Amino acid sequence: MNEFNSNSAIGVFDSGVGGLTVVREILRRLPNENVVYFGDTARVPYGSKSKNTVVKYSRQIARFLLTKNVKAIVIACNTASALALDELSRELPIPVIGVVKAGAQMAVNITETKNVGIIGTEATIKSGIYSEYIRSLSKEITVVSKACPLFCPLVEEGLLEDRITDDMVERYLSELKAYDVDSLVLGCTHYPLLWNPIKRYMGPAVKLINPAYETAKELKQMLKEADLLRTDNAPATYEFYASDGADKFITFADSVLPMHVKNAEVVDIESY
Ligand code: DGL
């Protein structure tokens, strides 16, 4: 039984460390909120897996987060948002939000030429969910999508500034550059960590969109409407869990978040 109140934590999860880019924005916009983060580092990447598998993994993680009495869940993973948001929203007793709608909305607001690029994992791009949302918001926009399956492992390996990364950026993004997009949605929570190489290659005229900003904004609004904003004035707490490789996770989290991450506990997620 999940016993939550407005002072309970927000549960956030991703297939690995990418979702920390969403935590970073949550900390900026909601500094008073407690956060429990789970990174499925043992089973990353999700982007090449089937819907059934991603839904199963997401359900297990949600069950784990409910043991922490979280008051809401943020799916800080585009792949899991694309494939499992409907299931989790239907099944869980607390509000669940994903990152895809926020990213789509931002693209619609920002584009001037009406040519929008979307990059993401194979599963996210194959789901067509970004194009679908964008078209439901504006019929005039042309969406060009590209799956970039090697970006996630490059990030997980910490190769944020590397010749191999620059080569992969060129290989994946040359098509989008040729289409003359004026905005590019980083449709995988790992990709904002490749902001510099992507920006360098796409050039100053192309605006990069990080759906995490809008997600944190949407989260704040949702908590406010549900009367779930934390009222306790004690300093916020942050707990980190991973399914494998706690040390590597901590090093990574330390480089992404504006604070020192002291500890990450390994969880046997298959048992949930
Ligand atoms: N960070 C995830 C996303 O936003 C997935 C990366 C992966 O596990 O393939 O899609």
Side-chain angles (χ1 to χ4, degrees):
M1 184 52 184
N2 182 39
E3 286 181 14
F4 67 92
N5 58 43
S6 59
N7 291 319
S8 305
I10 298 161
V12 182
F13 80 88
D14 177 44
S15 58
V17 295
L20 294 167
T21 60
V22 179
V23 173
R24 188 165 65 184
E25 297 313 319
I26 294 175
L27 297 188
R28 269 190 203 136
R29 207 168 269 273
L30 291 159
N32 195 41
E33 294 295 333
N34 299 328
V35 174
V36 176
Y37 181 88
F38 178 83
D40 203 356
T41 45
R43 304 188 294 195
V44 67
Y46 282 11
S48 49
K49 298 195 168 71
S50 68
K51 176 174 166 87
N52 278 351
T53 302
V54 174
V55 170
K56 179 183 140 194
Y57 289 176
S58 302
R59 282 190 178 124
Q60 286 175 323
I61 297 167
R63 283 196 282 269
F64 164 71
L65 291 173
L66 289 181
T67 67
K68 302 288 169 196
N69 291 321
V70 295
K71 62 183 173 186
I73 289 182
V74 178
I75 308 181
C77 172
N78 288 261
T79 309
S81 298
L83 305 183
L85 175 65
D86 289 349
E87 281 78 359
L88 293 194
S89 305
R90 217 176 28 242
E91 296 164 9
L92 298 184
I94 52 172
V96 182
I97 68 170
V99 285
V100 172
K101 265 193 191 148
Q105 181 68 59
M106 266 178 107
V108 172
N109 296 349
I110 281 175
T111 183
E112 284 166 21
T113 62
K114 310 286 178 207
N115 267 351
V116 171
I118 309 283
I119 53 175
T121 65
E122 278 172 305
T124 300
I125 298 304
K126 208 170 118 216
S127 77
I129 193 162
Y130 266 106
S131 322
E132 214 177 279
Y133 276 146
I134 290 177
R135 280 209 204 95
S136 73
L137 296 167
S138 166
K139 298 264 177 298
E140 298 158 43
I141 296 177
T142 306
V143 179
V144 193
S145 319
K146 179 79 185 167
C148 308
L150 288 174
F151 279 179
C152 177
L154 288 170
V155 170
E156 292 279 329
E157 287 307 316
L159 298 172
L160 308 185
E161 284 290 351
D162 196 279
R163 205 167 41 84
I164 297 176
T165 308
D166 287 334
D167 285 350
M168 290 318 302
V169 166
E170 183 175 354
R171 177 183 282 224
Y172 286 139
L173 303 189
S174 55
E175 226 175 278
L176 296 180
K177 212 170 171 176
Y179 271 107
D180 229 2
V181 298
D182 74 339
S183 36
L184 178 63
V185 180
L186 306 180
C188 169
T189 52
H190 283 70
Y191 299 178
L193 297 167
L194 297 179
W195 186 283
N196 290 338
I198 293 175
K199 184 79 190 164
R200 241 185 344 256
Y201 180 72
M202 294 305 287
V206 177
K207 294 176 213 86
L208 303 188
I209 297 175
N210 175 3
Y213 300 131
E214 207 62 26
T215 303
K217 216 164 114 187
E218 192 186 321
L219 174 65
K220 186 171 181 180
Q221 185 61 27
M222 185 272 283
L223 292 176
K224 209 166 152 186
E225 280 166 14
D227 207 12
L228 282 174
L229 282 169
R230 182 168 175 249
T231 51
D232 194 347
N233 284 326
T237 61
Y238 309 107
E239 290 174 32
F240 297 93
Y241 299 87
S243 45
D244 201 4
D247 289 346
K248 196 170 163 193
F249 179 90
I250 291 170
T251 309
F252 210 101
D254 246 355
S255 70
V256 174
L257 298 176
M259 71 212 189
H260 176 48
V261 175
K262 290 188 219 64
N263 188 42
E265 207 177 296
V266 172
V267 171
D268 175 14
I269 198 65
E270 291 285 354
S271 67
Y272 285 86

